[in-house]
Amino acid sequence: MDRLCGSGELGSKFWDSNLSIYTNTPDLTPCFQNSLLAWVPCIYLWAALPCYLFYLRHHQLGYIVLSWLSRLKTALGVLLWCVSWVDLFYSFHGLIHGSSPAPVFFVTPLVMGVTMLLATLLIQYERLRGVQSSGVLIIFWLLCVICATIPFRSKILSAMAEGKILDPFRFTTFYIYFALVLCALILSCFKEKPPLFSPENLDTNPCPETSAGFFSRLSFWWFTRLAILGYRRPLEDRDLWSLSEEDCSHKVVQRLLEAWQKQQNQASGSQTAAAEPKIPGEDEGLLKTRAKSKQPPSFLRALVRTFTSSLLMGACFKLIQDLLDFINPQLLSILIRFISDPTAPTWWGFLLAGLMFVSSTMQTLILHQYYHCIFVMALRLRTAIIGVIYRKALVITNSVKRESTVGEMVNLMSVDAQRFMDVSPFINLLWSAPLQVILAIYFLWQILGPSALAGVAVIVLLIPLNGAVSVKMKTYQVEQMKFKDSRIKLMSEILNGIKVLKLYAWEPSFLEQVEGIRQSELQLLRKGAYLQAISNFIWVCTPFLVTLITLGVYVCVDENNVLDAEKAFVSLSLFNILKTPLTMLPQLISGLTQTSVSLKRIQNFLNQDELDPQCVERKTISPGYAITIHNGTFTWAQDLPPTLHSLNIQIPKGALVAVVGPVGCGKSSLVSALLGEMEKLEGVVSVKGSVAYVPQQAWIQNCTLQENVLFGQPMNPKRYQQALETCALLADLDVLPGGDQTEIGEKGINLSGGQRQRVSLARAVYSDANVFLLDDPLSAVDSHVAKHIFDQVIGPEGVLAGKTRVLVTHGISFLPQTDFIIVLAGGQVSEMGHYSALLQHDGSFANFLRNYAPDEGQEDHEALQNANEEVHLLEDTLSTHTDLTDNEPAIYEVRKQFMREMSSLSSEGEGQNWTVPKRHTNSLEKEVPVAKTKETGALIKEETAETGNVKMSVYWDYAKSMGLCTTLFICLLYGGQNAAAIGANVWLSAWSNDAEEHGQQNNTSVRLGVYATLGILQGLLVMLSAFTMVVGAIQAARLLHEALLHNKIRSPQSFFDTTPSGRILNRFSKDIYVIDEVLAPTILMLFNSFFTSISTIVVIVASTPLFMVVVLPLAVLYGFVQRFYVATSRQLKRLESISRSPIFSHFSETVMGTSVIRAYGRIQDFKDLSDTKVDNNQKSSYPYIASNRWLGVHVEFVGNCVVLFAALFAVIGRNSLNPGLVGLSVSYALQVTVALNWMIRMISDLESNIIAVERVKEYSKTETEAPWVVESNRAPEGWPTRGMVEFRNYSVRYRPGLELVLKNLTVHVQGGEKVGIVGRTGAGKSSMTLCLFRILEAAEGEIFIDGLNVAHIGLHDLRSQLTIIPQDPILFSGTLRMNLDPFGRYSEEDIWRALELSHLHTFVSSQPAGLDFQCAEGGDNLSVGQRQLVCLARALLRKSRVLVLDEATAAIDLETDDLIQGTIRTQFEDCTVLTIAHRLNTIMDYNRVLVLDKGVVAEFDSPVNLIAAGGIFYGMAKDAGLA
């Protein structure tokens, strides 16, 4: 290098230590300035060029129009190139004219000139690729300015020293160069306009990140605007930015699907692995790629392929950050040396302080770029996994669906996808942790020699201990999850069947079950938390033990080893660095094991069988036919026997075909086979044209009624009107609060069974398909409505006439009008032909008809004639509509009007020619604007996101639940622990100063002893505080859950009608989980970081009192950042959690309705719908991630200032300070960044988690029903003896503020009388029975049973003495015995006798488990008929004097119905029986019939007298063909 600079007047040495280091006015030699210093920016730009060009090639964002800014930048680049060339030509000029310039004067201008030309070309190339702000060039110009600053100073100093300028020409060109470079730097900080054709031009609210400048991106300054907005007012959905194209679901999911498809193709190419039996012990296999030919496609590989670029980018950032981590300990070491050496020049200290600050800041910026990159990747990862699972769920076979419940599939989406997201940030630790450990050990060896290994050995020994603790915790967690799952499952069933529990007075039994499970759950929680406390103890003690043992060994091994400040504190800060990867490793391992389980589950799910889209032939079919099955054999799953075999069916175009047969003969299976939902074993199925499908159980979406009917098709008002009219929905629209804009709850919760079925049918009618498959749509509606629908829709005169219709039905009356009938028996076609032909044939069909229709033909005839008269409808749906009050007066008016209409209008259908009583609305009601009516269409109040600060009272509530003494004790323990920690470090500092003063250390053992004592004291206090916390937290969890459970079990029925069960369940699952497992650790972490930050400031202020000056401004800055961040992030978190649940509810809705979605061919629309919901959730997740980065950068800047000032004041006060104190304060300062960052994070976490306490409290204080038992007023033993029921002047309303549903009802029923209750919808039939059980409490009047006023006794005393057979048979999961007798009051014989009388004996005794037969959730493994019989058995067991029978209308075949009626007539002969009748023939032999109309008694007499009187009852009987 010296040769390069030549000799002569300008010749100089390349490096001169005396000039550059050992002086008070440092400078660099001219040679160094002209060569290496000038080349640094050029080397950087050429090194970065290949990667940058590669990046630009693959990122086309559109081009940017040539702007003034761009022209200026280019002009500056050209000028700089010219200046370099001028310098070069000047050197040549000198050479020609005899002076010999040094070679450096030719090389440097040449290098500079070429580089400036490159920079100018880059400016233009970036413009063409749409780059608005170039980081590469900003760094280049910045380096140019920094490297030119030193010559800038040197040239002025030398000119002043010499008194003249030695080389005026080069002096001038240099300053021109400096001015131009400075301008270029300033200009490059401005960003260009957005590129043309970029999505931003269309976007209303684009993410500012895409157009942010380089520095803004580096420091996340682009987020500030949202942070300020969030501080001013709570954020809303409209404030969130739209997603960038790369983050959108359709993009991300598509990429993963392609990669997965490749994996599948490779696997099937190597050999189909599906037929391969599963090998046990494959658990570990997923993460190792097995090179076997028969491996299943690997989902892991697909993920890695999809996200390679993000992973590599993250790895680069992480590597730089890891290396930067080790710079500060080296700088600290030099700083301590500088303090120890009084002769060292002062500028050294300032330079060191500056370098520490720059290094810390660099580390901050790069670390947060790394995190941003990784978290955004994690977000995309979750999106992709959710999308892939959703798409798979749409095409899985029914057998797969049977194996995995909806809940399990939702879990794959919520829990397993989330696991991937959680583990992503740690994934780079796999290589980064070992790297950090190796570097730390290397540097420690340099300071302490082999003694360093002692410390490392301690760390290594503690890892398995930690591992063992975490494994144990894991097993507890798994067990506890099982308890939690069973508790939530039980709660969900309790909520679904709460009405039944109340009617039967079974709550105590279920309450006991839940509390039993909760007890076991809390025990495991307690054990787990104690282990957590022990692992905390190990965690806190590790760094201390390591320091103690290392320094102890170092001092004891050799007497000459003197512990000075440099060795003590530099090794301390290295051990602190070492601590991070080692504490993260156990987390990473447990995260990876969880994720590998999730990976396996997802992979299994994605490898499941899919439905064969080619199973049903859509193109070719024999001419003239719409549906043909040739020799078809079908099964629901490969391992089950075929359900349908050797079918040969041909259905001509436009035919109406009925499919009949006994329960379980395969009618619904036939429809599924035609849809391609079953697995075809052999044969050919052809269906021509589009298909509409009406399933037996209507599938209703959670959207408006209109959207349910249109089902994604464009609106055609005429066709829509016709669909509503023919399906008898118009009357319902008048009744529903928002007309056809009424929002329908999950699973159609606010519609009656019949309405749901009719909406489902209207959807089919509107679809205008070619083939209609109708699976028993008429069973859920009343008989006259069924008739209306048959005539208007399905029958030969209906709107579907001319279309091909396959109708599965139980209704015999419609069969004569069909074209032909298929009779199924045992999965085969037993007969086929026209009605009359089958009757003459005298086979199984004729028998079937004879049994059930003695005079059906004649009735039909009469019924047809009477169809035009006003019909009184028989289904009571009022109870499902009572959920509609609100306090807003206008809305409330509409609702009142709605309640009035309820009582005057039918909801179960209105034909075109049925007269409807006119409604009178007063003027006020008319003026209610349409928009308001639309609003009331929403059934259930939105769950609102809380806004603003969490109230202090919530924290106070939690502290009280924990116990105030416990809370105070924890605070004291934390204070003590930090005092001990400071004491230990101050002692260490004093010990290291010993060496400075005396050159050797005498009382080593005392020094070590005291240090050890203080450290162990700190560890014990940590453990004690953690144990105390556990005790408090578990107590709080127990009390809060108990209060919630007891309140909910005692809530009145009206609460459950207006609150979706999901919302209540959420309190029991999510919020209780937070209280159980999240709050306590969060509070502990908060205490930890708070006390660490306080102790840092105490230590620095104590050692350098001058630091007091900057504490205040830094604290203010920190407070500002904290206020902005907490407000914004809290609201983002709330928005995120609100937008998350629609994803899963939409998914579970989809899974329930896959067959309908596939039948109508709407798979793509549903994929798009799901993507939109996921994107909506991403829109709040993305800013939340950015908010954490924004916080990190700004808080760490405060931390870096603390480091800067601690070092600066140490340099300023170096004469009064000893090295030990400097080491102490700076090593504390280096840790403060992390503590400050954690502290804000924990404050924010605590705020978002303490909301759980608020939500649980809210539901623990709702109003409860009357007491279960009134001790002072118990019912007499054996009451009621006669069963005499009397209503005296009785009125009732559903809730305060609503109209009366029963008005001044006075009814007297003698003991043992059989009374039928009839009336049109909304007449108050069900309400009457609910009043009897006090589910509704009286507004006035009273009810007496055997002369005892029921309002005076406890609810359980009353309800346990009455019996009801409800309309919907609800069973709970558990044994059959539990379902019949939850309290275990009856003997085995009693139960078997009840089963025998209810005709279940044969079924139960055929089950191997007998009475311990496990009923599935909701009794799904029993048919509806069997469930109804179980309810009958319950009634037979109770055998009380009063029986209420709410007759079931739907889905029950005639046989079961006859069985029930027969049993009731014989077994309840001497009891009082009140029957709400839907079929009049069941009550024609009763003593009396009560006809209700609008809540008052219209008629009450024996059936014969009523028919003779010719009133309302006569009309009903006439319609039913009984009069």
Side-chain angles (χ1 to χ4, degrees), residues 675 690-695 699 709 711 713 759-769 772-773 1154-1163 1165:
L675 287 171
S690 56
V691 173
Y693 168 51
V694 180
W699 175 72
V709 175
F711 204 50
Q713 288 196 311
V759 169
S760 177
L761 192 60
R763 178 192 297 157
V765 173
Y766 186 80
S767 73
D768 201 24
F772 287 79
L773 303 175
T1154 40
S1155 50
V1156 179
I1157 295 168
R1158 284 195 288 259
Y1160 285 93
R1162 289 213 49 219
I1163 288 190
D1165 301 357

Side-chain angles (χ1 to χ4, degrees), residues 44-45 119 122-123 126 134-142 188:
Y44 154 76
L45 190 63
L122 257 184
I123 292 172
E126 285 177 342
S134 162
V136 172
L137 284 178
I138 287 182
I139 294 174
F140 170 69
W141 296 123
L142 184 66
S188 67

Side-chain angles (χ1 to χ4, degrees), residues 290-351:
R290 304 196 302 294
K292 287 183 187 164
S293 59
K294 291 183 182 178
Q295 65 184 34
S298 157
F299 188 55
L300 184 65
R301 278 191 205 158
L303 285 174
V304 172
R305 289 238 168 107
T306 314
F307 297 104
T308 315
S309 56
S310 305
L311 283 166
L312 287 176
M313 189 123 141
C316 293
F317 281 133
K318 183 75 177 130
L319 181 67
I320 300 171
Q321 200 268 330
D322 284 352
L323 298 175
L324 283 173
D325 227 356
F326 288 95
I327 292 179
N328 272 341
Q330 306 307 316
L331 292 175
L332 174 64
S333 153
I334 303 170
L335 180 68
I336 293 174
R337 257 183 262 161
F338 160 77
I339 299 284
S340 317
D341 174 12
T343 61
T346 313
W347 65 270
W348 281 17
F350 293 122
L351 179 68

Side-chain angles (χ1 to χ4, degrees), residues 700-715:
I700 303 290
Q701 279 181 279
N702 182 3
C703 53
T704 65
L705 188 134
Q706 186 186 57
E707 285 163 344
N708 263 299
V709 175
L710 297 182
F711 204 50
Q713 288 196 311
M715 177 64 157

Side-chain angles (χ1 to χ4, degrees), residues 646-657:
S646 19
L647 295 182
N648 283 299
I649 296 174
Q650 291 190 311
I651 298 175
K653 267 196 189 137
L656 166 56
V657 180

